[in-house]
Amino acid sequence: MDPSSSAPTAAPPSPTVSQRDQWMVESHVFQIYQLFATIPPNAQSVMLELQRDKHIEFLSKGLRHLGSAFTVLDAKCCWLCSRPWLCYWILHSIALLGESVDDELQDDTVDFLNRCQDPNGGYAGGPGQMPHLATTYAAVNTLITLGGQKSLASINRDKLYGFLRRMKQPNGGFRMHVEGEIDVRACYTAISVASVLNILDNELIQNVGDYISSCQTYEGGIAGEPGSEAHGGYTFCGLAAMILIGEVNRLDLPRLVEWVVFRQGKECGFQGRTNKLVDGCYSFWQGGAVALLQRLYSTTVDKQMEEASDIFTTSDVSEEKVSLDGTSGNATHHFRDEDISESCSGDFKNIGYDFINKWRAREPLFHSIALQQYILLCSQEQDGGLRDKPGKRRDHYHTCYCLSGLSLCQYSWSKRPDSPPLPNVVLGPYSNLLEPIHPLFNVVFERYCEAHEFFFAGS
């Protein structure tokens, strides 16, 4: 047979829809980075500036008037699309920017959330609707963000505790609402609210650790329910809840760290799941999980090296060496059960307070400068508001979680939760600095401290 007459080589397979989407996102992001790299330094400074006034204008307008896209905000919408959530996203973003709303608007918000509070406990998506754990979390965080006697005293803790008990399931999980789904998100919202309001007890905690542990996947991340795929939002929720109940050492933390840090991609932002597109909101969901894990590390390197069997490798960044190309070095770290137990020891009611105030100085486990770059250059809109990625529209949800992630980055090297970071770890002008947050609850740290004093006084 003549070799020249052999069959032609088969054509390569066509790219999948996911591959094409990934290439498109990379192209958009890298065009922005290329532009940034080629413009004069003064123009670079402008691109890296956080547009505070524009963001405040966008947020304030949203609080007073929502466009037609938000007119159908009832129980038929997804769990995020309800008015307490909009109050939280907007008011938390304003607080992160160091601003507040006027007394009249604050009173109106408290009065509105009172109308969302069910007579039998919990908050609904709107007046007269069914109470829901997600909107309960959003409403409580909003009232803590507003602060003050009227706001904090408006929460009926006794009735709310009863609602949480009714949502609790024998397997340790919680339902989002009556006859609703059981998942890790419900566990977190219930435990977070109970912890910050000082109503967390053994009845609410019972078997929660069993349920969340069963949701950790072979990858290391945490799924919404057993057998599902690891997801950034559920990973944050599961990890934070396990810390708040004092059972975080039941998770496989080395695998969890490995999964989370590898979700930061070449675009410099985080993806929510393996092989998915980057999204600005995961600046908090994944970045927040990494920030929590950072606080679980031992402070003594010598002790870390003594137990070689516990050693594992994660991405490590030196802020003195990083550049905007996203490169980083490697270092060796490991968890020790006694370190984790110490950081979450004592009365579980005070874990949220003790956890953030027993700061363990560690360098970030992710590339914090690169993430700030993605948020400022790719998620920020110059006319105000932040977005998922280039090509997407700004919205209040992404504005909230992009700014929350930016705050985590800026304070990721600080030894104390509220100690001002050095200028070299804040990308762009130092005026970009936001307020610090409590990473377990995602409320501004100062407002959390006020709420803790209010709800724990005399306990």
Side-chain angles (χ1 to χ4, degrees):
M1 182 177 179
D2 184 355
S4 63
S5 64
S6 60
T9 304
S14 300
T16 65
V17 173
S18 296
Q19 286 175 319
R20 288 196 295 268
D21 289 345
Q22 177 63 32
W23 296 338
M24 184 177 298
V25 172
E26 290 179 12
S27 176
H28 286 167
V29 169
F30 295 154
Q31 284 176 21
I32 293 171
Y33 291 165
Q34 181 63 29
L35 171 65
F36 177 82
T38 56
I39 60 177
N42 60 334
Q44 289 181 340
S45 298
V46 172
M47 286 187 69
L48 289 176
E49 184 177 353
L50 185 67
Q51 301 299 316
R52 287 178 173 272
D53 293 342
K54 294 292 186 180
H55 297 323
I56 291 292
E57 181 181 353
F58 168 68
L59 293 162
S60 300
K61 181 180 179 181
L63 197 59
R64 296 180 181 277
H65 173 74
L66 294 171
S68 59
F70 294 93
T71 54
V72 185
L73 297 172
D74 57 28
K76 294 181 290 185
C77 295
C78 73
W79 72 282
L80 290 176
C81 293
S82 57
R83 284 169 281 185
W85 274 112
L86 290 165
C87 292
Y88 169 59
W89 297 332
I90 294 173
L91 289 168
H92 177 53
S93 298
I94 290 173
L96 279 166
L97 292 162
E99 300 292 337
S100 60
V101 297
D102 59 53
D103 291 343
E104 180 182 0
L105 190 52
Q106 178 166 325
D107 287 344
D108 288 346
T109 303
V110 174
D111 292 341
F112 167 72
L113 291 176
N114 262 332
R115 297 198 301 274
C116 294
Q117 189 167 201
D118 190 87
N120 294 315
Y123 290 81
Q129 296 178 14
M130 178 188 298
H132 194 289
L133 274 177
T135 46
T136 296
Y137 168 84
V140 168
N141 273 14
T142 300
L143 293 166
I144 289 173
T145 298
L146 290 173
Q149 173 71 26
K150 178 180 179 179
S151 178
L152 299 178
S154 71
I155 303 170
N156 190 326
R157 292 194 293 165
D158 290 339
K159 295 291 187 180
L160 180 50
Y161 175 79
F163 171 62
L164 298 180
R165 283 292 304 273
R166 293 194 298 276
M167 296 305 101
K168 182 68 186 298
Q169 301 301 301
N171 68 350
F174 286 81
R175 289 193 184 275
M176 294 300 296
H177 55 86
V178 174
E179 299 184 359
E181 64 272 35
I182 303 170
D183 58 29
V184 168
R185 169 191 48 159
C187 293
Y188 168 68
T189 49
I191 296 299
S192 174
V193 165
S195 176
V196 78
L197 296 181
N198 193 22
I199 55 176
L200 189 62
D201 64 5
N202 288 316
E203 296 296 327
L204 293 176
I205 285 176
Q206 187 175 12
N207 297 330
V208 171
D210 294 339
Y211 181 79
I212 295 177
S213 297
S214 72
C215 295
Q216 186 169 22
T217 77
Y218 71 94
E219 289 187 281
I222 299 173
E225 56 189 15
S228 295
E229 181 183 9
H231 183 282
Y234 291 117
T235 295
F236 171 84
C237 288
L239 176 61
M242 292 293 268
I243 291 171
L244 287 170
I245 65 174
E247 298 184 28
V248 69
N249 58 346
R250 296 183 61 184
L251 296 173
D252 187 336
L253 294 173
R255 281 199 304 140
L256 180 54
V257 170
E258 184 176 18
W259 181 80
V260 174
V261 297
F262 277 102
R263 301 286 69 77
Q264 187 172 18
K266 62 175 67 177
E267 305 93 341
C268 300
F270 277 102
Q271 60 181 184
R273 291 178 286 162
T274 304
N275 294 326
K276 295 296 182 179
L277 302 178
V278 66
D279 185 333
C281 73
Y282 292 110
S283 301
F284 174 76
W285 297 121
Q286 301 283 35
V290 180
L292 296 178
L293 290 164
Q294 180 183 344
R295 290 163 176 79
L296 296 175
Y297 269 97
S298 171
T299 58
T300 307
V301 175
D302 291 339
K303 290 182 179 179
Q304 293 176 356
M305 301 304 294
E306 288 175 359
E307 300 176 9
S309 61
D310 289 339
I311 292 176
F312 66 100
T313 302
T314 61
S315 174
D316 183 41
V317 179
S318 172
E319 295 290 354
E320 296 177 353
K321 298 179 180 179
V322 296
S323 62
L324 291 181
D325 61 7
T327 59
S328 67
N330 290 319
T332 303
H333 306 282
H334 74 84
F335 288 107
R336 303 170 73 243
D337 287 344
E338 56 265 41
D339 298 321
I340 297 165
S341 299
E342 181 185 346
S343 66
C344 296
S345 63
D347 183 357
F348 58 74
K349 288 189 175 184
N350 288 309
I351 285 177
Y353 182 80
D354 294 339
F355 183 77
I356 194 65
N357 282 289
K358 291 180 179 178
W359 179 265
R360 295 182 176 273
R362 294 289 306 180
E363 58 236 46
L365 304 176
F366 67 108
H367 200 318
S368 61
I369 289 290
L371 182 56
Q372 291 179 69
Q373 172 185 300
Y374 179 82
I375 295 169
L376 293 170
L377 298 184
C378 300
S379 289
Q380 178 175 228
E381 289 201 10
Q382 294 298 308
D383 290 335
L386 292 98
R387 59 193 178 186
D388 169 343
K389 61 177 67 68
K392 298 288 187 177
R393 298 181 63 180
R394 64 185 181 177
D395 59 68
H396 302 108
Y397 168 82
H398 285 92
T399 299
C400 170
Y401 291 108
C402 286
L403 290 177
S404 297
L406 186 61
S407 173
L408 286 173
C409 289
Q410 293 172 342
Y411 291 89
S412 61
W413 286 78
S414 300
K415 293 184 177 182
R416 300 291 303 173
D418 55 349
S419 57
L422 295 173
N424 67 325
V425 301
V426 176
L427 186 61
Y430 201 70
S431 59
N432 282 358
L433 187 64
L434 298 170
E435 295 296 312
I437 65 171
H438 192 308
L440 284 169
F441 306 102
N442 197 19
V443 292
V444 167
F445 183 70
E446 182 180 3
R447 309 295 170 82
Y448 166 79
C449 291
E450 179 191 3
H452 183 271
E453 183 177 351
F454 184 90
F455 292 119
F456 284 74
S459 62

